[in-house]
Amino acid sequence: MSTDEQQQRQRTYTWEDPAPTSAANRDMHGLDFLRGLMDGTIPHHPTSRTLGFTVTDAGEGFAEVTLEPQEFHANAVGSIHGGVLATLFDTAMGFCVSSTLEAGVGYTTLDLQVRYVRPVQTGKGVIRVQGFCEHTGRRTATARGEARDSEGRLLATGSTTCLILR
């Protein structure tokens, strides 16, 4: 089969200017910022648009992001690339830390560890990655996370340490 006869795959998407989202993240209490992402008053950042995930739940010390795996997330062996899941963990665990921070206090990831339990495939429903803040101190915070499929099966676990920026 020639290249012309093969099905062309294409993806087009849009994103917002990231500056207002970054400013809101910096200037608002973390939980209020997450609520703004969920209700649409604050646009999701470009990374979420690129990969196609959204913040779907949040509380004090908790954040959830969801993604429906697509063909464009695939790696060379046909499962969803581990970097996609790592990004979801970084987001969910960072946001759960953020939910504990007052306005004007920022954070950044110091380390990120993801342990993959089973492969993620397309066509199997939504993936939920939840972050749980374990400790927020003056200089650092720690969090853990879980990724589960639509049937509740554990796909991966994660942990992070974040630097608190005062």
Side-chain angles (χ1 to χ4, degrees):
M1 186 183 314
S2 73
T3 305
D4 292 337
E5 294 172 338
Q6 292 179 355
Q7 179 183 3
Q8 292 286 325
R9 287 174 168 82
Q10 182 174 315
R11 180 169 180 249
T12 303
Y13 61 98
T14 61
W15 63 91
E16 307 279 334
D17 175 3
T21 300
S22 296
N25 191 9
R26 182 179 53 252
D27 298 340
M28 297 174 71
H29 184 285
L31 187 52
D32 292 335
F33 171 76
L34 294 174
R35 289 179 178 144
L37 290 175
M38 289 186 300
D39 70 19
T41 57
I42 299 171
H44 276 76
H45 51 86
T47 304
S48 71
R49 300 293 176 117
T50 301
L51 291 177
F53 66 86
T54 58
V55 177
T56 51
D57 197 4
E60 184 78 22
F62 171 78
E64 176 185 83
V65 297
T66 59
L67 169 81
E68 185 168 353
Q70 303 294 321
E71 185 181 63
F72 61 83
H73 294 121
N75 59 22
V77 298
S79 61
I80 302 309
H81 195 284
V84 173
L85 279 178
T87 300
L88 297 176
F89 274 107
D90 192 37
T91 302
M93 293 186 299
F95 280 167
C96 78
V97 167
S98 176
S99 74
T100 68
L101 301 176
E102 295 298 322
V105 179
Y107 67 97
T108 191
T109 302
L110 283 174
D111 66 40
L112 173 69
Q113 185 173 34
V114 178
R115 291 162 296 284
Y116 303 96
V117 175
R118 59 175 44 98
V120 178
Q121 305 292 330
T122 61
K124 306 284 184 178
V126 171
I127 303 302
R128 295 185 181 288
V129 179
Q130 297 179 329
F132 306 90
C133 189
E134 296 175 322
H135 168 76
T136 301
R138 183 143 180 82
R139 294 192 179 117
T140 62
T142 60
R144 64 181 175 81
E146 296 181 348
R148 294 189 178 270
D149 67 13
S150 59
E151 296 177 19
R153 292 179 296 198
L154 185 66
L155 302 170
T157 61
S159 60
T160 193
T161 303
C162 293
L163 177 66
I164 305 301
L165 305 170
R166 295 188 185 272

